[in-house]
Amino acid sequence: MDSLVIGAIASLGAGLATVVGALPILLPINLTQRLQGIMLGFGAGVMLAATSFSLILPGTEAAIAQGASKPYAALTIVIGILLGGVFLQLVHKFLPHEHFFKGKENCNGANLKKIWLFIGAITIHNFPEGLAVGVNFGNHNITEGIPVALGIGLQNIPEGLVVALSLVAERYSTNYALWISLLTGLVEPIGGLIGAGLVSIANFILPWAMAFAAGAMLFVISDEIIPESHCKGLEKEGTIGVMIGFVVMMFLDITLG
């Protein structure tokens, strides 16, 4: 099967984990903010490990395998990471969105519907994840993409739950919350197609694409998810989640990779 198709399917599977995570809203349970903080931290930890073990290190190895010296390979990764961060900063600056705890950001129009704010936030969070999955599969090496897809899928489960809980808290129906959670997952195949497509067209792009995806994910981790988990005095809970998420993803990467 073509790597472009595999990358799209894998990123779609990882993205659909958001609606799986949202299913508990159908049950008569009440998740505390402490648990939500842990889940957000868990997502950040998974993404951080995926950035390190599934993007930066393989990207460096790919650059060296293409004939680059170690200093040039390192410089390639550095520049790629910074470009990914700049890209997300521009998206963050110009796209109105809403944080789960902190509220609205870059929202000038009072009549801007809340749902579009959520879609903006979801796009910022999920696009680089899909890009990371697609880049890994785009190199025709499924063993490199499986841990990333599984890890991103794992971190999307609590993310989907937080999105659904936030909507239900604003008196949206459970069906509507589930639909929006599903919609969040559909952002990831777009990133997956772009990532896999770029690498499939020109393999020399692989180190740059992996570094770019790593930079985008690092920006999301530091600017979005960790601050979210630290809101309302949830620093300890967020840190616990980061530690658990990091070791889970590290285990998956070492075991499956």
Side-chain angles (χ1 to χ4, degrees):
M1 187 180 295
D2 186 79
S3 60
L4 189 67
V5 177
I6 297 175
I9 293 174
S11 57
L12 175 62
L16 291 179
T18 55
V19 73
V20 175
L23 291 178
I25 67 170
L26 299 175
L27 303 175
I29 57 176
N30 182 28
L31 294 177
T32 65
Q33 282 201 330
R34 292 189 64 185
L35 186 55
Q36 291 181 48
I38 291 175
M39 291 188 297
L40 280 171
F42 177 86
V46 168
M47 292 175 69
L48 184 60
T51 298
S52 303
F53 298 109
S54 301
L55 291 173
I56 293 177
L57 292 180
T60 305
E61 294 171 356
I64 294 174
Q66 292 175 7
S69 63
K70 288 185 178 181
Y72 183 79
L75 182 61
T76 297
I77 299 303
V78 167
I79 295 174
I81 289 174
L82 294 178
L83 288 175
V86 169
F87 171 75
L88 258 292
Q89 170 61 26
L90 293 175
V91 173
H92 183 273
K93 180 178 180 180
F94 294 109
L95 182 64
H97 60 283
E98 180 166 345
H99 299 271
F100 298 128
F101 295 146
K102 290 189 294 183
K104 298 177 182 178
E105 184 169 314
N106 294 333
C107 179
N108 297 319
N111 61 340
L112 189 61
K113 293 183 179 180
K114 191 168 186 178
I115 182 58
W116 294 113
L117 299 178
F118 272 100
I119 291 175
I122 291 161
T123 302
I124 290 174
H125 281 78
N126 285 3
F127 179 79
E129 298 172 6
L131 184 65
V133 174
V135 164
N136 276 275
F137 278 98
N139 196 33
H140 302 281
N141 192 340
I142 297 177
T143 59
E144 292 181 1
I146 289 176
V148 180
L150 287 176
I152 295 301
L154 279 174
Q155 81 90 27
N156 279 342
I157 291 175
E159 182 178 283
L161 181 57
V162 171
V163 170
L165 288 173
S166 301
L167 287 168
V168 171
E170 295 298 325
R171 295 181 175 82
Y172 286 98
S173 69
T174 54
N175 289 336
Y176 189 75
L178 287 173
W179 165 247
I180 296 302
S181 296
L182 174 62
L183 188 62
T184 68
L186 298 182
V187 176
E188 297 206 0
I190 299 175
L193 280 170
I194 293 174
L198 287 175
V199 176
S200 298
I201 294 171
N203 193 56
F204 72 89
I205 297 177
L206 179 62
W208 292 95
M210 297 183 86
F212 184 90
M217 289 179 70
L218 282 174
F219 185 94
V220 170
I221 293 166
S222 179
D223 190 75
E224 293 280 336
I225 301 182
I226 290 180
E228 286 284 308
S229 69
H230 284 196
C231 284
K232 299 186 178 181
L234 300 176
E235 294 90 346
K236 184 178 294 184
E237 289 81 359
T239 300
I240 292 172
V242 168
M243 296 287 291
I244 296 173
F246 187 92
V247 297
V248 166
M249 182 59 195
M250 182 184 69
F251 178 84
L252 286 173
D253 194 275
I254 294 174
T255 303
L256 301 178

